[in-house]
Amino acid sequence: MGQVITCPSGLTGRIRGMKVKEERVLTDRKLARTGGQVDELLAACWEETLDPGPYDLGGRPLDWGKVLQGDRFFALLQVRAHTYGATYGFSVGCRADSCRAKIDWELDLASLPVRPLSDASRAAFLDGNRFEATLADAGKKVWFRLLTGDDERKLPAVQRASPERVLSSMLSYRVLEVDGVDPRHKRAFLEDLSLRDADALLDELDRVDCGVDTTIEIECPTCLLTQDIELPFDRGFFLPGRERTRRRLERISSSPG
Ligand SMILES: [Zn+2]
């Protein structure tokens, strides 16, 4: 029996756990490269839409490419938790240069803070995914959009195209229009932004978006340094049993005697 979940935008549906046949999706390198893995997995495990939230389905099944990043990630977390339980174990290296010990950490996925899509953001999304912000230094209004699954797939290529200009390609990708600036000069305008404006704009992009906060605080058991990390997504996220076995074996082989 599936489980009913409600995503940050209000999108509600029934999910099922992952099955052995999803292994093909998880190990498909071509899918991983094109970013299609998440779409395939979500499409397979999403059994039924009960409330489309802000998405216009037009009688068709939910298209995950049109779904907001925050919803996609939330649904993915729920599928994982429904399959194996909400406990996620992983290992990261301690950040302290003097330590660098391996930290084994366990987290309850249900404890990650979820930010719902506000009414104002929902209205802007429905109105063509168009959000307004004002740049203080430049003294101009800009319109930008929230990212969906289709963007998630395109962005790595955009960033690879100019690796030394990730910030400006990211902004250029998300900013639709600048008040009084010819679309042909948008990129040049954004290149010329003060970093303070760019930083404030990135904050605004985050503020109006919905999603799951994946920055967590962990403490190194060796040197006791607390540190903020981005939740890692290694193999243990989708195949936790194998990861658990590996960590257990490592502990046994590294224990003295
Ligand atoms: Zn440490």
Side-chain angles (χ1 to χ4, degrees), residues 94 96 99-101 220 222-225 227:
C94 176
C99 176
R100 297 283 172 202
C220 173
T222 308
C223 72
L224 304 182
L225 177 77
Q227 42 207 296

Side-chain angles (χ1 to χ4, degrees), residues 9-68:
S9 75
L11 169 68
T12 304
R14 191 187 312 279
I15 56 165
R16 65 159 170 81
M18 290 180 278
K19 297 182 180 176
V20 171
K21 62 185 173 190
E22 263 83 68
E23 184 183 23
R24 183 192 63 79
V25 177
L26 294 174
T27 55
D28 189 325
R29 281 164 190 268
K30 193 161 152 253
L31 273 180
R33 252 203 322 276
T34 55
Q37 252 177 347
V38 171
D39 287 60
E40 288 240 352
L41 203 59
L42 288 173
C45 296
W46 185 263
E47 294 192 304
E48 172 189 16
T49 303
L50 300 171
D51 179 342
Y55 309 108
D56 178 14
L57 303 189
R60 290 179 299 275
L62 185 64
D63 175 357
W64 285 98
K66 304 277 178 280
V67 172
L68 289 170

Side-chain angles (χ1 to χ4, degrees), residues 41-225:
L41 203 59
L42 288 173
C45 296
W46 185 263
E47 294 192 304
E48 172 189 16
T49 303
L50 300 171
D51 179 342
Y55 309 108
D56 178 14
L57 303 189
R60 290 179 299 275
L62 185 64
D63 175 357
W64 285 98
K66 304 277 178 280
V67 172
L68 289 170
Q69 245 185 346
D71 278 349
R72 290 163 56 89
F73 186 65
F74 179 86
L76 198 61
L77 282 182
Q78 299 303 312
V79 165
R80 197 283 187 188
H82 187 57
T83 308
Y84 300 113
T87 304
Y88 173 36
F90 57 87
S91 310
V92 290
C94 176
R95 188 177 293 167
D97 282 329
S98 54
C99 176
R100 297 283 172 202
K102 193 156 77 68
I103 307 174
D104 285 331
W105 200 257
E106 266 192 5
L107 174 88
D108 178 1
L109 292 173
S111 71
L112 294 170
V114 175
R115 199 156 14 103
L117 191 71
S118 69
D119 289 344
S121 290
R122 183 189 167 104
F125 181 70
L126 287 173
D127 191 22
N129 192 0
R130 227 177 127 78
F131 290 74
E132 189 184 301
T134 301
L135 304 169
D137 285 346
K140 278 192 185 299
K141 267 191 206 160
V142 294
W143 289 270
F144 62 88
R145 61 202 184 85
L146 299 184
L147 296 177
T148 63
D150 286 340
D151 301 314
E152 221 171 276
R153 230 168 315 164
K154 286 179 212 152
L155 265 180
V158 171
Q159 288 171 347
R160 266 199 307 276
S162 47
E164 72 291 354
R165 289 180 182 179
V166 170
L167 180 61
S168 80
S169 30
M170 183 72 187
L171 288 176
S172 176
Y173 190 80
R174 299 194 60 175
V175 171
L176 300 163
E177 188 188 336
V178 184
D179 195 19
V181 173
D182 188 297
R184 282 170 303 172
H185 303 138
K186 184 181 77 173
R187 183 68 182 257
F189 171 85
L190 291 169
E191 296 264 353
D192 205 38
L193 267 189
S194 72
L195 272 176
R196 193 170 67 139
D197 267 353
D199 194 49
L201 183 57
L202 290 176
D203 269 357
E204 180 64 9
L205 298 179
D206 276 348
R207 190 186 67 79
V208 298
D209 211 344
C210 65
V212 183
D213 192 356
T214 52
T215 306
I216 58 167
E217 188 182 77
I218 63 173
E219 186 191 60
C220 173
T222 308
C223 72
L224 304 182
L225 177 77

